Amino acid sequence: MHTIPPVILASKSPRRQELLGLMDVDFRVVLKDVDESYPEGLTPPEVALHIARKKAEAFDETIGDEVVLTADTIVCIDGLILGKPETREHAIEMLQRLSGRVHQVITGVCLLYKGRYNNFYDLTEVFFRKLSDAEISNYVDKYQPLDKAGSYGIQELIGLIGIERIEGSYTNVVGLPTEKVYAQLLSLNK
């Protein structure tokens, strides 16, 4: 049986930490400040991969036999990337844009192991029903989604009442495509 090396999760996301824990992966959290800007002209998947790789490159010192796992999740509609909202009003505006429409959630992942970078991404289509302004305001005021790309968490109220269906990985929308991450971690020691 192949074993997964210990993981350094370079993410303050409680959702990513919870998902790795549920996967029975041995990990510890190490945070580094990284500039998340990216060059113009990249496609949304290239943006997510670029930022995930930049986060991994911050770990240039020797890390021994641990794997550095970094990720970046973006929400995209009509080719436009919706980042994390800056204000309550910005969050409401984003959710109004997503309401009644289909958008994509893309998570870029980078695994740095023994000096090699392994980059991959996952894409999930999310179908929102038409949300009322009251539903949107109530969600934003109650859940304060300013730390979430696209202004929502699928595992929270808006996901429970507003998402009609998804095509692709649920955990990708939460913030980490666990199926792909697990397969890639298993393949490291082959």
Side-chain angles (χ1 to χ4, degrees):
M1 170 158 170
H2 296 288
T3 56
I4 294 174
V7 171
I8 294 173
L9 175 64
S11 174
K12 62 179 177 274
S13 163
R15 292 159 297 279
R16 288 190 185 124
Q17 293 171 25
E18 181 183 6
L19 288 171
L20 265 188
L22 290 169
M23 292 167 63
D24 280 341
V25 171
D26 175 25
F27 75 97
R28 63 189 176 103
V29 175
V30 179
L31 302 176
K32 303 246 183 184
D33 282 328
V34 176
D35 167 23
E36 294 190 17
S37 63
Y38 52 88
E40 284 187 41
L42 297 181
T43 64
E46 289 170 338
V47 169
L49 288 169
H50 178 83
I51 295 172
R53 169 100 184 208
K54 272 175 93 169
K55 290 176 179 178
E57 287 170 350
F59 289 82
D60 52 5
E61 74 272 11
T62 308
I63 44 182
D65 286 339
E66 291 176 294
V67 181
V68 175
L69 189 164
T70 61
D72 188 66
T73 300
I74 61 173
V75 171
C76 182
I77 188 165
D78 300 329
L80 176 73
I81 294 172
L82 304 182
K84 295 174 183 168
E86 292 163 25
T87 62
R88 174 187 183 274
E89 292 69 30
H90 192 206
I92 288 170
E93 186 183 301
M94 278 189 195
L95 288 169
Q96 286 171 336
R97 180 185 290 252
L98 298 175
S99 175
R101 312 250 340 260
V102 180
H103 66 272
Q104 296 77 40
V105 176
I106 301 162
T107 301
V109 179
C110 186
L111 301 176
L112 170 59
Y113 186 58
K114 297 185 176 175
R116 295 202 354 247
Y117 293 90
N118 178 4
N119 296 295
F120 55 95
Y121 74 92
D122 204 3
L123 184 150
T124 304
E125 300 251 300
V126 180
F127 296 74
F128 259 99
R129 74 168 177 79
K130 188 79 177 135
L131 300 164
S132 71
D133 288 345
E135 287 169 330
I136 290 172
S137 296
N138 175 50
Y139 171 73
V140 170
D141 291 340
K142 187 171 183 179
Y143 288 88
Q144 307 284 316
L146 301 185
D147 64 333
K148 295 177 178 72
S151 303
Y152 77 93
I154 192 171
Q155 71 283 6
E156 296 173 344
L157 174 69
I158 211 83
L160 300 177
I161 67 166
I163 294 176
E164 294 175 333
R165 67 186 169 97
I166 66 170
E167 289 180 9
S169 166
Y170 169 81
T171 60
N172 180 51
V173 184
V174 177
L176 194 66
T178 54
E179 312 84 1
K180 284 189 174 183
V181 168
Y182 187 74
Q184 294 294 328
L185 286 170
L186 276 179
S187 72
L188 289 175
N189 276 327
K190 283 187 178 172

